[in-house]
Amino acid sequence: MKNNYAYGSLAAFLPLEPRLFPFDPAAIFGRQAPLEVEIGFGTGEYLVRMAAAAPEKNFLGFEQCARRVIKTLRKIHEARLTNVRVMRMDVVWALQYLLTARSLARVHCLFPCPWPKKHHARHRLFSTGFLRLVNNRLVDGAELYIVTDHAPYAAWIAENIPGSGFDLNTRIIPPTFDTKFERKWSAAGQSEFFEMALTQAAHQEFPQPGVYAMKTYFIDQADCLNVQLENVWGPLTIKFGEWLYDPRIRKAVVDAVVSEDDRAQHIWIVVIHTAKGWCVCPAGGTVVLPTEGAQKAIDLVAQAVRASAV
Ligand SMILES: C[S@@+](CC[C@H](N)C(=O)[O-])C[C@H]1O[C@@H](n2cnc3c(N)ncnc32)[C@H](O)[C@@H]1O
């Protein structure tokens, strides 16, 4: 039987690809317009409503949960919106690597994960460092708009304001946004939420890290049963998993956990025999943020493959 629910559109979905760096809104949306970002859009109610209410603006949403991205894509398609794009991506990396200084007209975040346990607090998003990053990516005088259900999180954000270049204005508001998480807290009896409007008072400097092209290697000679990979330790950490070589198809794979700037990505690297030699590159389907560390992991595999033949 035909599954009608399978039907949808990926038109608003931007897969993480090196060609997107640095983000060029005019090329992606096909027009110049103010660009607003939503952090952690969840199931997309607020993002879709904002985009429908302001067709003269462009909207870009970041969400880590794949299931929620799919639900949001359905809503965008049903609403026939052309001014919104979504990415499945950690917003810290998105702001750091993808988006450029003074490119955002407004940033929104409804009900950021509060990480209430003390030993989880390091996962909280709105540290002074992250606020400085958002500040840098906003156009002068623009606003970061946060709503939280969690009083200690609101207090923690307020503590992080000094040094961020923002002025803060907090209000208590009733349920207003009808998002999945607001409905959840309302159903649990919560009737007051913390609306935090952070207005940029002083632009902050924040360096734009380099983006690497993700070089593919071709190596003439290799002994793939004799590849020795060395881990890297320090501010940039690269930890290789087990090497697996299938001689039948002359192909090897290895997982590299690359940690830099306090965040980690898993990269599957493949080594495969081709007419041009042994090819070393990210495995097909792997999403790689093209950082210095990602390139270094590929370089190290290529070096080890080259050394294996000696
Ligand atoms: C508590 S939910 C709120 C969702 C939605 N705003 C709402 O009101 O229903 C927080 C959302 O932020 C997403 N999220 C958390 N950290 C993120 C990050 N670093 N980058 C992108 N999304 C993130 C989570 O996957 C989750 O969907």
Side-chain angles (χ1 to χ4, degrees):
M1 200 173 76
K2 198 166 171 229
N3 178 2
N4 283 330
Y5 198 62
Y7 178 77
S9 168
L10 286 165
F13 182 64
L14 286 183
L16 177 54
E17 289 170 352
R19 72 171 178 98
L20 291 181
F21 294 79
F23 194 74
D24 176 2
I28 298 295
F29 291 92
R31 64 171 187 175
Q32 296 279 3
L35 177 63
E36 302 201 1
V37 157
E38 184 178 359
I39 299 174
F41 54 77
T43 45
E45 294 95 335
Y46 180 59
L47 184 61
V48 165
R49 227 181 298 130
M50 285 196 293
E56 74 286 2
K57 295 180 187 168
N58 293 329
F59 292 85
L60 177 60
F62 295 99
E63 171 56 60
Q64 276 180 321
C65 169
R67 199 164 30 90
R68 294 179 186 156
V69 171
I70 299 287
K71 285 186 191 300
T72 301
L73 284 170
R74 286 193 199 291
K75 290 191 180 86
I76 293 169
H77 179 57
E78 278 157 20
R80 299 280 180 271
L81 295 172
T82 56
N83 61 335
V84 54
R85 299 289 184 281
V86 295
M87 295 188 71
R88 186 188 170 204
M89 187 176 183
D90 183 331
V91 70
V92 178
W93 270 344
L95 283 164
Q96 217 173 334
Y97 286 90
L98 186 67
L99 299 168
T100 53
R102 293 192 168 94
S103 62
L104 305 178
R106 202 172 187 219
V107 174
H108 309 248
C109 184
L110 297 188
F111 311 107
C113 303
W115 297 104
K117 291 188 182 148
K118 207 173 173 186
H119 61 286
H120 284 156
R122 68 195 164 87
H123 296 302
R124 287 177 171 177
L125 211 45
F126 295 102
S127 62
T128 306
F130 183 69
L131 290 173
R132 294 188 67 244
L133 170 60
V134 178
N135 176 316
N136 177 272
R137 301 321 190 220
L138 284 170
V139 298
D140 290 351
E143 186 181 79
L144 164 60
Y145 182 75
I146 306 170
V147 179
T148 176
D149 49 288
H150 196 254
Y153 194 26
W156 182 78
I157 296 173
E159 279 166 25
N160 294 336
I161 294 291
S164 69
F166 282 114
D167 287 339
L168 171 65
N169 188 9
T170 303
R171 282 196 312 148
I172 305 285
I173 56 167
T176 307
F177 302 98
D178 193 24
T179 64
K180 180 181 158 115
F181 277 82
E182 190 187 70
R183 288 192 296 275
K184 187 173 160 185
W185 310 134
S186 299
Q190 184 159 352
S191 56
E192 293 188 335
F193 297 88
F194 303 87
E195 179 192 68
M196 310 182 80
L198 285 71
T199 310
Q200 194 205 60
H203 177 81
Q204 301 295 296
E205 288 310 319
F206 203 101
Q208 185 96 34
V211 164
Y212 292 72
M214 296 293 100
K215 182 173 172 203
T216 292
Y217 288 89
F218 289 94
I219 295 166
D220 290 341
Q221 300 288 327
D223 173 1
C224 279
L225 290 171
N226 184 33
V227 172
Q228 309 289 331
L229 289 166
E230 297 274 350
N231 293 334
V232 173
W233 302 103
L236 165 63
T237 297
I238 302 174
K239 216 171 148 215
F240 290 104
E242 254 183 71
W243 174 262
L244 187 143
Y245 176 57
D246 183 342
R248 201 177 40 88
I249 53 171
R250 301 179 86 187
K251 181 174 179 178
V253 287
V254 66
D255 176 51
V257 185
V258 178
S259 307
E260 54 200 312
D261 298 327
D262 242 10
R263 304 189 99 69
Q265 58 173 330
H266 280 258
I267 303 172
W268 269 92
I269 298 171
V270 69
V271 179
I272 184 160
H273 193 262
T274 70
K276 285 163 64 184
W278 291 91
C279 172
V280 182
C281 60
T286 307
V287 175
V288 181
L289 185 70
T291 61
E292 182 187 1
Q295 180 61 66
K296 174 113 181 151
I298 297 166
D299 297 345
L300 288 174
V301 174
Q303 273 169 30
V305 168
R306 197 171 281 123
S308 70
V310 179

